[in-house]
Amino acid sequence: MKNTASKRILEMKQELKQELQITSDVAFGKLAGADKSVVGQWISGKIKSIAPRYAYNLEDKTGYSARWIMLGNEPKRGKKKTGCKNRCCDY
């Protein structure tokens, strides 16, 4: 059975993939700036936390709070980015 931290990573990843309409773990990894092996370790539970560099990459590209990505702390969304042309930042 996966520990709570590993379960949290999987739940966060699934939620972001669904909300951002990302269909593969590889595409999610690219969005985070993580390679395929890192994503595989997230899924297997070998890595028990999201490194800040990946969380901040996701925050920059999606508007989801790095704090929420790493720790699960609300709010999910960070401050709205101005000038972002990506649909994912329209919140």
Side-chain angles (χ1 to χ4, degrees), residues 58-65 76-78 81 89 91:
L58 288 166
E59 181 179 69
D60 289 344
K61 293 176 183 175
T62 68
Y64 283 89
S65 163
K76 281 186 189 180
R77 297 282 193 165
K81 301 192 180 311
C89 294
Y91 53 91

Side-chain angles (χ1 to χ4, degrees), residues 51-83:
R53 69 176 176 260
Y54 303 129
Y56 284 104
N57 282 342
L58 288 166
E59 181 179 69
D60 289 344
K61 293 176 183 175
T62 68
Y64 283 89
S65 163
R67 180 178 298 246
W68 176 76
I69 292 166
M70 290 186 290
L71 305 172
N73 296 350
E74 296 288 336
K76 281 186 189 180
R77 297 282 193 165
K79 294 180 180 174
K80 185 171 182 172
K81 301 192 180 311
T82 56

